[in-house]
């Protein structure tokens, strides 16, 4: 079968590998139809991922079709793949938080992923998509991360929300915060990303990162935002985000950096601020996205800005890696 192998930073090759004919115990064979390209994949390609060993088959945003009937799923069923492989036995898993399992493995990061024609996946990591188009199924996972962050934040109707970093993950958080009835503001260094969010999804409150913080805060009469989400993956931006939080507000760190983040404790305490980490997503969040896609609450087609075939991707990624300001979600077709 065709497999995309990132051998080392900057080297992505199409390789023929043995197609799995039988699933591992407890697994189901899935024929991959569409793959969403994530910022993580670009980081792996660029050599910027801190927790990865090469060579690696990337790909964790996956929509496919069950290849063989097994473990309660029928051949031909369209499925969404939850790429977070949890152990099921650690403290976090036993408390219903498999998204932060102590021994978690993510497809395409800690082990080979789904940029290939067929993959064997634990049955519990497969969610039936029903009548959802399989192309849309490949966009559920990244949106589930935003849905999880919003659920963790406990956003209320009429809250003022600031999302810093309007890449795919930040946009997902913004869309689900908006769906919760919040007044959503977006902050990004790319005017192109801000304009695209306005054009495709109707966001009105846009702030360029070049603006002084006082100008951004002026939109709240200087009070700050009830909830701030950071989806930048940038240490300086994360540290700067504290200043935007209102007294009694929450700061949700959706992105992660390899290093320490510091903040002024007096400022943190006088706000009685909640600092929340948000990691991955759970089945509840996947279901929330499914509902939003099916109902039209969120336009899945508007998320899909770029396309290519699995054969063309090794060449295409050399261009896309430098053109992410115009990209929400690129989809590879298998």
């Amino acid at each position: 079968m065709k497999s995309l192998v990132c051998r080392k930073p900057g080297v992505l090759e199409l390789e023929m590998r043995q197609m799995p004919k039988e699933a591992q115990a407890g697994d189901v064979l899935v024929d991959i139809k569409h793959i969403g390209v994530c910022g993580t994949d670009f980081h792996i390609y660029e050599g910027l991922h801190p927790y990865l060993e090469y060579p690696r088959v990337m790909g964790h945003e996956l929509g496919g079709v069950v290849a063989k009937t097994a473990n309660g799923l029928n051949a031909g069923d369209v499925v969404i793949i939850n790429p977070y492989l949890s152990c099921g036995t650690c403290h976090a898993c036993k408390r219903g938080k498999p998204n932060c399992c102590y021994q978690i493995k993510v497809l395409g990061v800690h082990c080979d992923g789904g940029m290939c024609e067929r993959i064997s996946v634990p049955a519990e990591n497969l969610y039936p998509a029903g009548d959802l188009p399989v192309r849309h199924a490949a966009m559920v996972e990244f949106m589930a991360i935003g849905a999880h962050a919003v659920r963790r934040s406990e956003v209320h109707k009429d809250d003022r929300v600031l999302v810093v970093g309007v890449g795919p993950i930040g946009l997902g958080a913004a869309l689900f915060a908006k769906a919760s009835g919040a007044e959503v503001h977006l902050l990004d260094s790319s005017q192109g990303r801000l304009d695209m969010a306005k054009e495709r999804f109707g966001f009105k409150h846009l702030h360029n990162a070049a603006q002084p913080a006082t100008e951004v805060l002026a939109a709240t009469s200087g009070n700050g935002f009830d909830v701030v989400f950071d989806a930048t993956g940038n240490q300086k931006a994360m540290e700067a985000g504290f200043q935007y939080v209102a007294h009694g507000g929450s700061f949700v760190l959706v992105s992660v950096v390899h290093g320490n983040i510091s903040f002024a404790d007096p400022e943190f305490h006088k706000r009685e601020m909640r600092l929340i980490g948000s990691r991955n997503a759970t089945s509840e969040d996947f279901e929330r996205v499914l509902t939003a896609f099916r109902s039209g609450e969120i336009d899945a087609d508007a998320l899909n800005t770029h396309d290519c075939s699995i054969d063309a991707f090794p060449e295409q990624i050399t261009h896309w890696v430098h053109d992410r300001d115009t990209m929400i979600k690129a989809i590879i077709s298998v």
Side-chain angles (χ1 to χ4, degrees):
M1 66 175 181
K2 296 175 181 177
S3 299
L4 289 169
V5 182
C6 191
R7 300 202 179 283
K8 61 182 180 179
V11 179
L12 181 66
E13 297 177 345
L14 192 65
E15 177 183 294
M16 297 303 293
R17 291 189 171 187
Q18 187 69 35
M19 178 176 284
K21 301 295 185 182
E22 300 295 333
Q24 300 176 32
D27 280 14
V28 175
L29 291 176
V30 178
D31 288 331
I32 301 298
K33 298 299 181 184
H34 294 287
I35 307 155
V37 183
C38 177
T40 297
D41 300 318
F42 286 122
H43 289 155
I44 292 170
Y45 178 76
E46 294 173 291
L48 300 176
H49 198 289
Y51 308 111
L52 188 113
E53 294 182 1
Y54 297 88
R56 178 64 69 227
V57 176
M58 303 184 296
H60 62 272
E61 299 179 5
L62 308 168
V65 174
V66 173
K68 290 185 178 183
T69 298
N71 294 306
L73 291 166
N74 297 316
D77 286 350
V78 176
V79 289
I80 297 149
I81 296 176
N82 180 337
Y84 317 127
L85 308 180
S86 55
C87 71
T89 59
C90 72
H91 179 72
C93 287
K94 288 179 178 179
R95 290 179 61 84
K97 297 180 72 67
N99 58 303
C100 48
C101 166
Y102 282 54
Q103 287 87 37
I104 198 166
K105 292 183 179 180
V106 181
L107 291 175
V109 178
H110 305 101
C111 56
D112 281 348
M115 284 192 183
C116 59
E117 293 186 87
R118 179 177 288 182
I119 191 171
S120 180
V121 184
E124 62 267 24
N125 284 71
L126 297 176
Y127 306 139
D131 58 357
L132 191 75
V134 68
R135 173 178 290 270
H136 293 179
M139 291 188 279
V140 171
E141 186 272 340
F142 88 89
M143 289 294 288
I145 294 174
H148 183 72
V150 170
R151 183 163 63 87
R152 290 272 291 148
S153 74
E154 300 177 357
V155 165
H156 296 104
K157 185 178 182 296
D158 298 326
D159 278 353
R160 283 199 182 104
V161 167
L162 178 66
V163 178
V164 186
V166 193
I169 301 300
L171 183 59
L175 287 166
F176 283 106
K178 183 179 179 182
S180 299
E183 177 186 294
V184 179
H185 295 242
L186 306 179
L187 175 66
D188 199 282
S189 59
S190 167
Q191 191 60 44
R193 283 194 178 278
L194 293 170
D195 292 341
M196 189 160 49
K198 179 180 180 179
E199 176 186 341
R200 289 182 176 246
F201 298 101
F203 288 101
K204 300 176 182 178
H205 307 290
L206 310 177
H207 307 278
N208 194 292
Q211 292 176 256
T214 52
E215 289 186 14
V216 179
L217 289 168
T220 67
S221 301
N223 291 317
F225 295 88
D226 301 299
V227 182
V228 175
F229 295 92
D230 179 273
T232 65
N234 180 281
Q235 181 179 349
K236 289 183 178 179
M238 294 164 82
E239 292 179 343
F242 285 85
Q243 69 189 310
Y244 296 116
V245 183
H247 285 230
S250 301
F251 189 21
V252 186
L253 300 181
V254 191
S255 60
V256 61
V257 292
H258 188 61
N260 298 326
I261 293 178
S262 61
F263 56 89
D265 188 59
E267 292 296 320
F268 177 78
H269 267 85
K270 80 178 185 182
R271 286 168 167 79
E272 197 180 52
M273 188 192 304
R274 291 196 309 162
L275 180 59
I276 302 169
S278 182
R279 185 182 186 191
N280 301 331
T282 67
S283 59
E284 182 177 347
D285 307 305
F286 279 78
E287 288 295 333
R288 175 69 181 95
V289 178
L290 273 170
T291 299
F293 280 1
R294 286 193 182 116
S295 67
E297 181 182 24
I298 292 176
D299 182 356
D301 287 325
L303 296 166
N304 180 193
T305 54
H306 294 66
D307 296 276
C308 79
S309 68
I310 190 170
D311 301 86
F313 188 58
E315 169 63 23
Q316 196 64 58
I317 193 173
T318 64
H319 305 292
W320 283 352
V321 75
H322 302 298
D323 188 30
R324 281 177 269 177
D325 279 359
T326 63
M327 179 182 293
I328 298 177
K329 185 51 56 179
I331 298 291
I332 300 169
S333 297
V334 182

